Amino acid sequence: MAARRTELTPWGRKVKKRLIDKGMTQVELALLVGCGKQYLHKILTGERSGRKYMGEIARILGIDEAA
């Protein structure tokens, strides 16, 4: 079974760019936020809303919560 590729949401792209700028990985961000790396990925692709974590993600990365 081939792995499916999911596209990042506009907010997910903003988070990903900021992670690259800060030299952080999604795994490191997930640990800081307190969620699993798979769940973080689902937030960034829009599979989950992630409302509980979005404020903390935005705070850690210094970005707006809104896309």
Side-chain angles (χ1 to χ4, degrees), residues 5-67:
R5 182 106 169 111
T6 50
E7 197 171 309
L8 296 173
T9 63
W11 194 76
R13 285 192 296 272
K14 187 188 297 188
V15 168
K16 187 73 170 176
K17 181 185 181 321
R18 193 69 176 130
L19 284 172
I20 292 166
D21 292 346
K22 288 180 139 300
M24 285 179 71
T25 66
Q26 286 186 28
V27 173
E28 291 170 325
L29 180 60
L31 286 170
L32 289 172
V33 170
C35 70
K37 63 183 179 179
Q38 294 90 352
Y39 192 78
L40 177 62
H41 176 75
K42 289 179 179 187
I43 294 170
L44 300 182
T45 59
E47 290 180 56
R48 295 284 186 251
S49 73
R51 272 183 267 242
K52 177 180 176 182
Y53 301 104
M54 287 180 84
E56 187 65 7
I57 292 168
R59 185 192 68 73
I60 290 167
L61 297 178
I63 59 174
D64 292 331
E65 261 187 79

